[in-house]
Amino acid sequence: MPANTTASSGSTGSAGGGSRKKKGRRARLIVIVLVLALVAGIGYGTYWSVSTVRASYPQTNGTAQLAGLDSNVEVKRDSYGIPQIYADSDSDLFRAQGFVQAQDRFWEMDVRRHMTAGRLSEMFGSGQVETDSFLRTLGWRKVAQEEYDHVLSAETKKNLQSYADGVNAYLKGRDGKDISVEYAALGLTNDYKPVKWTPVDSVAWLKAMAWDLRGNMQDEIDRSLMTSRLDAKQIEDLYPPYPYDKHKPIVSEGGISTLSGKYDPQAMPSSDGLGSSTAQGATQGLTTQLGALSDTLDEIPSLLGPNGTGIGSNSWVVSGKYTTTNKPLLANDPHLAPQLPSLWYQMGLHCRSVSATCKYDTAGYTFSGMPGVIIGHNQDVAWGFTNLGADVTDLFLEKVSADGYLYDGKVKPFVTREETIKVAGGKDRHITVRETNNGPLVSDRSGELEKVGQKAPVTNAAPDRADGYGVALRWTALEPGKSMDAVFELNRAKDFTSFRAAAEHFEVPSQNLIYADTKGHIGYQAPGKIPVRKSGDGTMPSPGWSSAYGWKKDPIPFDELPYEYDPKRGYIVTANQAVVDEAKYPYMLTKDWGYGTRSQRINDLIESKIKGGGKISTDDMQKMQMDNTSEIATLLVPELMKINISDKDVREAQKLLEGWDYTQESDSAAAAYFNAVWRNILKLAFGDKLPKELRVEGECLNVPPAKSSGPVDEQDRLVRECGQRAPDSAQPDGGDRWYQVVENLMDKPDSDWWKTPANRKDKATGNREELFARAMKDARWELTAKLGKDITTWNWGRLHQLTLKNQTLGTEGPGLLQRVLNRGPWNLGGGEAAVDATGWNAAGGYEVVWVPSMRMVVNVGDWDKSRWINLTGASGHAFSAHYTDQTDKWVNGELLDWSYGTNAVAGSTTDTLTLKP
């Protein structure tokens, strides 16, 4: 037993009840399977005993010593292992939080901090050097250190230190195998030993969160890459304007504090970056570098979502005027990459008596490795997050030489720093990071840099090529900020005024914050450090050599960011749609909103209930979260049914759509067939016309040479070209941007987009009806290959599966170990841009690539009637009963009771651990 922990009259992970006993038996069987697997081939001449596997299980009953406490702390866990912590001071509360999260999730925490610091190679060897190099170039850890040293409040730093002390108290005296079984696996090839946790390790995690929620950077890259094959009008077709006429923005009755009146569009700078015709040649010169950069992005560990695309979320709040509780109801379900364990860790942080020395009584979803609650409620207010999607990143084409970079006709020296990457089992690697006034040169991390000077055709808008070009990244998260302060301030908020004060400090990532309180008020605030551009709109890379571009010194003032408070309509919906009508707002937030399909569906569901004279219940909120209607099906199916199909097998499949209600249940054959048709429509109309950098890697086509004009019929004039993009980030991904693209073309049946390219052996299509018929045929035979010829056996869930993967050894370890550590698959309903957003990438296949990572419905004021669920479970230990014990309920749309009050927590407690000084 480690020196700092003394157990008495307790057990490890014990619980009562018949169902718990079954879980325990199942967990023991899994342990035996692991031991057999290791003996069979993974152990390299050694084996792990059952005691090795169990050594890392947390103590959850009895007593344990925790150095540094002022008084006893109780950790009460329910039958799902969810902890509620009770303490008498802030320092004790956060020290215990660090201890408990390390008990359950330290492997996850350790991997995350190595990722944010660009130190994965220390754990996993030379295969991570390229990733580490890129992350060192971004400098997340460096910025986090600056925040801790110079920006964060003294109280925040005290809380961070208490949390770190708790983590380290848990680590003291424990070997890696005593912390998590993955360390035992790592020890077979690596002598890595966990080191102490630091406060900056916690702060750096916010940079990873900000990276995956960074806005339109991928769209900026994709638009630039499209210029090699598409003209400006075609690219515009694929990025249509937001449909304000049919999809409501978030804010329609609120405003900003200091500005009023209508915005004059003429006052806004024109789009005059490298996307303009005067600099089109320089844009073409970016293709090589941006393709390489996109490949690099695919390799970065994606903790929140696939390469930053598709990440959405739903949240909405309804005033007590329209609820059965007569108090607000608030729902939230962030859509993130599925991972095991889940990104979220459910927890309650309770001061036994709230006072000046113990300020917190809050519960909700936390991040392992970071103190406080991210999403949840306290005694007075509840809050939720969705991604605002503000454009907070810009790419700049820089004119570089050995001496520096060009700016307004003069060469300025780079700001440089040297980085040493330690590699497990190998030699140290050394890199030099170069920064311009627009940020780090991310293109330095690609071997393609030296080719750019040779390949970049330039016009008079760009300087002479000489030594070449580089690509720099400007990003708000690379400037020190106060987001960590905001987390604690949100946890302490008492009303809308204090809530907005906290939101002002939540600078990155920029999120939509919704609000409700026990006095019946509801509200919304758009926070974030959002840049104001001198020129251009951020949709294309800009010339870094001119001071006419870049960002103004100050971002949009917080008092001029949109908000709402008690709108007359009685509800607020945020689901990544436009925040405010751009014609009525003086600043540009982004040109790349989500297109509002999910948000409008939620608006419609709420309005139909209210207009029908009914009131919305907690059950109604939960049911809305599981709404899986396909909005694109409502548009396309009537047209698909009009097409005369002669092939009896294809006609048989077409009949599946007759009478279909457009819901995407897991057992629906119609949903399976329609989604296959949709995927093939996208491929025929758009996918085969995109450049290789956007298409799925390994999928090859015979295509016309780049920038060729006119039809190409002769086979010998075509070139063989294979896609280069990872399947979960390729285009067209089938999201609601593509819904809008297709809707805009429906009244243009002879558009060139409906013509298939001359790269297929069979007859090309010439109009919309022919292409739709071809898509139905292709879908029929695609599903025959995947699901069998008998359509009565088809269902959406067999195509649309979720597999939960351990985020390290579950993706990169030996196959047998992956099978032991991972879980699934589960057959899911829902779909892309549905409220039940089980996302899939239409270019890459039907596999689920992002999900509602948790769901909650908060019953404001009557907190113990709130409900919640996590994607997986509380534990990060692969053989714990709580590894995935919430997943089946999550799949079925069920929610767990969420105890908050002292009596409710006592009633749901199955294990109690008392931590003593």
Side-chain angles (χ1 to χ4, degrees):
M1 184 68 67
N4 68 306
T5 309
T6 306
S8 64
S9 64
S11 63
T12 301
S14 64
S19 64
R20 290 299 302 282
K21 290 178 182 177
K22 289 180 182 178
K23 288 180 182 177
R25 285 197 296 270
R26 187 162 60 247
R28 286 194 292 275
L29 289 173
I30 293 171
V31 168
I32 293 169
V33 169
L34 173 70
V35 174
L36 291 174
L38 293 169
V39 171
I42 299 174
Y44 302 105
T46 66
Y47 67 94
W48 295 344
S49 66
V50 172
S51 62
T52 300
V53 174
R54 289 179 173 169
S56 59
Y57 284 13
Q59 179 189 346
T60 58
N61 271 319
T63 62
Q65 290 181 338
L66 176 53
L69 290 178
D70 296 321
S71 58
N72 289 353
V73 174
E74 289 180 306
V75 182
K76 299 185 176 186
R77 293 180 185 256
D78 66 10
S79 61
Y80 287 88
I82 299 170
Q84 306 276 348
I85 299 176
Y86 291 84
D88 293 323
S89 69
D90 292 346
S91 60
D92 280 2
L93 192 64
F94 295 119
R95 184 175 276 103
Q97 184 182 14
F99 181 90
V100 170
Q101 289 192 337
Q103 280 187 305
D104 283 336
R105 297 280 193 96
F106 186 75
W107 168 261
E108 173 193 13
M109 293 163 58
D110 201 15
V111 172
R112 280 184 185 171
R113 68 164 163 175
H114 279 78
M115 192 275 287
T116 59
R119 292 171 48 208
L120 288 169
S121 300
E122 294 178 21
M123 297 184 77
F124 303 111
S126 59
Q128 298 298 323
V129 169
E130 185 174 340
T131 295
D132 283 346
S133 297
F134 187 78
L135 295 172
R136 294 285 184 97
T137 298
L138 295 180
W140 293 352
R141 173 75 186 206
K142 170 179 168 288
V143 179
Q145 186 71 56
E146 292 171 359
E147 288 181 356
Y148 185 79
D149 291 342
H150 305 298
V151 178
L152 298 178
S153 71
E155 182 172 3
T156 293
K157 290 197 281 189
K158 179 182 176 183
N159 293 341
L160 287 164
Q161 187 61 60
S162 294
Y163 181 90
D165 290 343
V167 174
N168 293 329
Y170 177 75
L171 296 178
K172 187 177 180 181
R174 284 182 165 86
D175 293 329
K177 63 180 175 57
D178 300 320
I179 298 170
S180 185
V181 72
E182 287 92 340
Y183 288 110
L186 198 63
L188 299 173
T189 57
N190 188 349
D191 60 358
Y192 172 81
K193 306 287 185 192
V195 298
K196 285 186 174 182
W197 192 264
T198 73
V200 180
D201 292 332
S202 297
V203 179
W205 169 237
L206 283 172
K207 301 303 173 187
M209 181 180 174
W211 175 251
D212 276 357
L213 301 175
R214 62 192 178 270
N216 78 333
M217 181 174 167
Q218 191 65 54
D219 286 323
E220 189 174 339
I221 291 172
D222 287 356
R223 266 187 291 255
S224 298
L225 292 171
M226 285 178 185
T227 61
S228 68
R229 287 210 172 271
L230 305 178
D231 60 33
K233 175 59 170 64
Q234 290 172 315
I235 295 173
E236 184 180 334
D237 287 344
L238 301 187
Y239 287 89
Y242 184 88
Y244 291 100
D245 57 331
K246 63 174 184 171
H247 291 167
K248 297 177 183 176
I250 297 171
V251 172
S252 59
E253 298 175 31
I256 51 180
S257 297
T258 61
L259 297 179
S260 61
K262 284 202 170 186
Y263 162 58
D264 177 8
Q266 299 303 315
M268 195 70 175
S270 62
S271 175
D272 192 28
L274 291 177
S276 70
S277 59
T278 58
Q280 192 64 43
T283 302
Q284 294 169 23
L286 280 173
T287 300
T288 300
Q289 285 204 58
L290 292 182
L293 176 58
S294 188
D295 291 343
T296 301
L297 297 181
D298 280 337
E299 297 300 320
I300 302 304
S302 188
L303 292 181
L304 302 185
N307 204 23
T309 65
I311 296 178
S313 297
N314 302 321
S315 70
W316 66 95
V317 60
V318 182
S319 166
K321 179 181 178 182
Y322 296 118
T323 67
T324 58
T325 65
N326 297 317
K327 289 288 181 70
L329 293 174
L330 184 150
N332 196 187
D333 56 287
H335 307 155
L336 305 171
Q339 53 190 281
L340 186 60
S342 166
L343 177 78
W344 301 107
Y345 183 95
Q346 297 150 289
M347 198 173 216
L349 301 173
H350 307 279
C351 290
R352 294 189 179 98
S353 177
V354 176
S355 65
T357 57
C358 200
K359 307 178 187 68
Y360 299 88
D361 188 7
T362 186
Y365 294 86
T366 71
F367 289 143
S368 301
M370 205 172 86
V373 169
I374 305 301
I375 293 174
H377 70 83
N378 59 30
Q379 291 177 322
D380 302 297
V381 309
W383 66 94
F385 283 7
T386 64
N387 193 23
L388 190 150
D391 186 356
V392 295
T393 58
D394 275 345
L395 296 172
F396 289 86
L397 183 64
E398 303 283 1
K399 176 68 177 61
V400 300
S401 67
D403 299 323
Y405 61 96
L406 193 69
Y407 189 69
D408 282 348
K410 297 180 179 179
V411 176
K412 300 185 67 173
F414 295 110
V415 175
T416 63
R417 66 179 189 275
E418 303 297 319
E419 297 278 353
T420 299
I421 299 171
K422 296 185 179 299
V423 182
K427 294 181 179 180
D428 292 354
R429 308 291 177 87
H430 303 278
I431 65 170
T432 299
V433 177
R434 302 188 296 174
E435 295 187 6
T436 73
N437 57 353
N438 289 312
L441 279 176
V442 290
S443 53
D444 275 2
R445 303 284 71 86
S446 166
E448 299 291 336
L449 174 64
E450 62 190 40
K451 302 177 185 178
V452 175
Q454 304 165 15
K455 292 188 175 182
V458 295
T459 68
N460 292 334
D464 179 71
R465 74 180 66 182
D467 297 289
Y469 292 88
V471 178
L473 170 65
R474 184 84 185 264
W475 179 33
T476 55
L478 298 185
E479 302 168 6
K482 297 183 178 181
S483 293
M484 196 70 239
D485 284 344
V487 171
F488 295 111
E489 292 166 357
L490 281 173
N491 286 201
R492 300 192 304 263
K494 297 296 182 185
D495 52 29
F496 194 59
T497 300
S498 54
F499 175 79
R500 289 192 74 213
E504 183 172 3
H505 291 151
F506 206 95
E507 296 169 331
V508 292
S510 186
Q511 298 287 285
N512 296 307
L513 297 182
I514 60 166
Y515 166 93
D517 65 33
T518 54
K519 294 182 179 178
H521 302 294
I522 64 173
Y524 163 83
Q525 177 66 56
K529 186 186 293 183
I530 303 173
V532 179
R533 291 166 178 81
K534 297 177 182 177
S535 297
D537 58 13
T539 59
M540 286 281 205
S542 295
W545 51 80
S546 170
S547 60
Y549 297 88
W551 296 356
K552 294 184 178 179
K553 179 181 178 182
D554 296 320
I556 299 173
F558 178 78
D559 284 344
E560 298 179 15
L561 289 170
Y563 74 94
E564 278 191 329
Y565 186 59
D566 289 337
K568 292 179 181 178
R569 65 182 179 278
Y571 60 90
I572 301 170
V573 175
T574 86
N576 317 113
Q577 78 270 42
V579 171
V580 64
D581 190 331
E582 63 183 359
K584 300 177 181 178
Y585 187 66
Y587 298 104
M588 191 203 77
L589 298 175
T590 185
K591 290 289 186 181
D592 289 305
W593 300 113
Y595 279 72
T597 300
R598 280 180 290 108
S599 63
Q600 192 57 46
R601 177 64 178 168
I602 297 168
N603 272 298
D604 291 344
L605 290 170
I606 294 172
E607 287 182 7
S608 66
K609 187 79 172 183
I610 292 173
K611 289 179 179 179
K615 290 201 169 187
I616 294 171
S617 67
T618 306
D619 287 343
D620 291 329
M621 300 284 276
Q622 183 174 343
K623 185 178 179 181
M624 289 179 197
Q625 287 182 324
M626 296 303 295
D627 182 89
N628 58 29
T629 301
S630 171
E631 295 298 321
I632 189 61
T634 66
L635 174 70
L636 293 184
V637 167
E639 298 302 320
L640 295 173
M641 297 307 298
K642 295 176 184 177
I643 298 174
N644 184 26
I645 300 294
S646 58
D647 185 309
K648 65 180 181 61
D649 292 310
V650 180
R651 172 61 183 147
E652 181 185 34
Q654 185 187 35
K655 286 181 178 180
L656 290 172
L657 304 179
E658 292 180 356
W660 179 43
D661 63 359
Y662 311 128
T663 59
Q664 300 173 93
E665 301 294 341
S666 173
D667 61 359
S668 171
Y673 182 58
F674 172 77
N675 282 315
V677 174
W678 170 237
R679 166 172 148 83
N680 280 279
I681 287 172
L682 291 170
K683 183 176 183 180
L684 291 166
F686 311 105
D688 290 354
K689 298 165 187 172
L690 296 177
K692 62 182 182 297
E693 292 87 358
L694 274 69
R695 300 199 314 269
V696 175
E697 69 181 322
E699 290 191 0
C700 301
L701 298 170
N702 295 318
V703 300
K707 287 294 183 183
S708 114
S709 59
V712 179
D713 296 319
E714 298 84 359
Q715 189 68 26
D716 59 1
R717 290 184 58 190
L718 301 177
V719 296
R720 190 70 170 164
E721 188 180 79
C722 298
Q724 298 178 350
R725 185 70 65 83
D728 61 6
S729 59
Q731 292 294 337
D733 61 19
D736 63 354
R737 171 165 67 88
W738 293 99
Y739 290 15
Q740 191 62 43
V741 169
V742 169
E743 182 174 344
N744 290 351
L745 292 170
M746 288 298 287
D747 62 353
K748 302 171 184 176
D750 296 316
S751 167
D752 285 345
W753 287 112
W754 300 125
K755 295 176 172 60
T756 55
N759 55 23
R760 296 181 171 275
K761 295 178 181 179
D762 48 0
K763 183 180 178 182
T765 63
N767 59 39
R768 189 190 70 199
E769 183 173 324
E770 290 179 9
L771 186 139
F772 281 10
R774 173 60 193 276
M776 284 196 285
K777 176 183 176 182
D778 288 356
R780 180 18 160 151
W781 298 116
E782 180 186 4
L783 294 199
T784 297
K786 293 179 182 295
L787 302 179
K789 187 173 182 180
D790 183 358
I791 67 171
T792 64
T793 68
W794 291 1
N795 66 64
W796 176 222
R798 287 176 60 200
L799 284 176
H800 191 53
Q801 292 187 324
L802 168 68
T803 299
L804 294 173
K805 296 181 179 180
N806 180 289
Q807 288 300 290
T808 50
L809 301 179
T811 58
E812 300 295 335
L816 184 57
L817 187 57
Q818 291 187 40
R819 290 193 292 274
V820 172
L821 293 178
N822 298 342
R823 298 292 181 270
W826 284 267
N827 295 350
L828 297 189
E832 177 62 46
V835 180
D836 181 19
T838 54
W840 56 287
N841 185 302
Y846 304 98
E847 179 185 5
V848 176
V849 295
W850 56 83
V851 294
S853 56
M854 62 80 157
R855 298 185 184 102
M856 73 176 192
V857 177
V858 182
N859 198 315
V860 177
D862 198 353
W863 305 114
D864 294 325
K865 292 184 179 178
S866 300
R867 303 172 189 173
W868 61 354
I869 198 78
N870 205 350
L871 173 64
T872 60
S875 180
H877 298 286
F879 315 106
S880 164
H882 304 306
Y883 193 44
T884 56
D885 58 342
Q886 296 185 49
T887 307
D888 285 344
K889 290 183 178 294
W890 176 92
V891 169
N892 293 328
E894 300 176 50
L895 300 177
L896 305 177
D897 292 336
W898 179 354
S899 298
Y900 172 74
T902 303
N903 292 336
V905 170
S908 62
T909 295
T910 60
D911 297 338
T912 300
L913 175 67
T914 301
L915 300 174
K916 293 181 172 293

